[in-house]
Amino acid sequence: MSDALVLIETHGRVGVIRINRPKQLNALNGAVMRMLVDAALAFDADAAVGAIVITGDERAFAAGADIKEMAAASVVEMLQANRIELWDALRGIKKPLIAAVSGWALGGGCELAMACDMIVASETARFGQPEINIGIIPGAGGTQRLTRAVGKALAMEVILNGRFLDAAEAERFGLANRVVPVEQYMRTAIELAQQIAERAPLAVRLAKEAVNQAQESVLAEGIADERRLFYMLFSTEDQKEGMQAFLDKRPARWQGR
Ligand code: HXC
């Protein structure tokens, strides 16, 4: 296998980004995050790609930010390097992001999975925010996204007491969309991504934006935003084609315009 830190593949209309530091359990150092974000931005700009899967390997999705890289850092160095800023670029990705998670998804790894729009987990997946064990707290959205996903009570236990969630718990508490045997998690994630990638691209994009509004804003703003995006789709050819195809009882042909 290549020794590149991040591997890129495409399967049909699905772009796959694979973190490739297996010996360090795919710990996310600065170089990995830079390459991962660059790959996601490139797929986002590529009209041949309709959805993106982010994954690691069977043993680890990612065991967190690279502790070695941070261990001796001062607050000034952390602020100057400001590596977490890269995560904002990930938040700006317009195409659906699906995390295919097997093994460890801890700390920044769990935050990376939660920064995706959906999570497909293998039965071996373990989610957690164990930063408390090394004297810090989550820094890339973990306190916010986990709380929204699983509720305050469980988030407190995970973040304050380092409790791990196994795959079944992650599914039960609404963190993972589905759990499948380890031999199937990649195929399942790619199939889900491919299904979405075949849908009307502009509607998928605005649907993602609208659902994220529900997470990121108060209800009144979210509802107003959803309405604006809904109306906007009536200026697209895909809306005309989609509705006409339904009336004609035939599959729609999406143009992405
Ligand atoms: C650097 C890491 C690492 C990490 C594992 N490794 N996690 N290196 N950063 N986050 C390295 C180990 O040092 C070891 O290297 C090798 O990967 C294998 O790990 P082991 O510990 O030997 O494996 P195992 O006994 O199976 O334990 C697995 C584990 C454990 C439970 C996942 O590795 C672990 O607790 N890792 C740290 C998890 C964590 O605290 N994550 C949060 C980080 S802080 P050697 O060279 O010894 O073989 C964070 C903040 C995010 O993520 C802030 C925003 C970005």
Side-chain angles (χ1 to χ4, degrees):
M1 186 177 273
S2 159
D3 56 6
L5 292 175
V6 163
L7 306 174
I8 308 299
E9 305 156 19
T10 52
H11 298 256
R13 285 182 49 72
V14 178
V16 177
I17 302 172
R18 196 183 287 275
I19 306 161
N20 185 37
R21 286 186 87 202
K23 289 201 184 94
Q24 293 80 21
L25 304 185
N26 293 326
L28 302 165
N29 64 15
V32 168
M33 280 309 297
R34 175 82 263 166
M35 291 172 81
L36 189 151
V37 165
D38 283 349
L41 288 169
F43 280 143
D44 208 31
D46 182 350
V49 168
I52 301 164
V53 171
I54 297 180
T55 194
D57 55 40
E58 279 188 15
R59 190 170 168 218
F61 176 72
D66 191 314
I67 298 171
K68 218 180 244 177
E69 203 176 56
M70 297 182 292
S74 67
V75 65
V76 172
E77 283 157 359
M78 289 302 282
L79 283 167
Q80 278 170 345
N82 195 14
R83 293 212 182 85
I84 303 177
E85 203 178 21
L86 275 174
W87 294 64
D88 294 339
L90 213 52
R91 238 174 79 207
I93 299 293
K94 296 180 180 63
K95 291 174 185 167
L97 291 170
I98 296 176
V101 176
S102 179
W104 300 112
L106 300 180
C110 187
E111 291 175 303
L112 178 61
M114 293 192 292
C116 294
D117 302 308
M118 283 166 261
I119 297 177
V120 173
S122 96
E123 285 168 349
T124 63
R126 294 285 177 280
F127 298 86
Q129 299 287 165
E131 286 91 341
I132 200 78
N133 296 332
I134 52 170
I136 56 168
I137 67 170
T143 59
Q144 307 302 300
R145 290 202 177 94
L146 187 70
T147 307
R148 283 170 166 82
V150 306
K152 175 178 156 181
L154 184 56
M156 286 285 186
E157 229 186 304
V158 170
I159 294 168
L160 275 61
N161 205 27
R163 172 172 166 187
F164 289 166
L165 302 179
D166 64 26
E169 288 173 317
E171 187 179 34
R172 177 148 41 97
F173 296 123
L175 189 61
N177 290 71
R178 64 189 72 167
V179 177
V180 295
V182 65
E183 313 79 53
Q184 289 170 26
Y185 78 101
M186 270 313 288
R187 181 154 39 91
T188 304
I190 290 171
E191 276 170 13
L192 177 61
Q194 181 66 27
Q195 281 171 11
I196 298 169
E198 282 167 12
R199 298 186 180 280
L202 291 170
V204 167
R205 172 175 157 176
L206 297 194
K208 166 171 167 163
E209 193 179 324
V211 174
N212 277 335
Q213 278 292 330
Q215 289 272 79
E216 293 170 10
S217 68
V218 292
L219 184 62
E221 281 172 33
I223 286 179
D225 237 62
E226 179 195 66
R227 187 173 314 158
R228 183 177 59 76
L229 296 173
F230 177 79
Y231 289 154
M232 199 194 284
L233 282 166
F234 284 75
S235 66
T236 67
E237 291 177 24
D238 282 351
Q239 174 268 327
K240 299 287 173 292
E241 163 66 8
M243 292 194 180
Q244 194 56 51
F246 173 81
L247 296 172
D248 295 347
K249 301 188 189 302
R250 60 171 173 80
R253 287 178 294 269
W254 307 120
Q255 304 294 330
R257 54 178 193 259

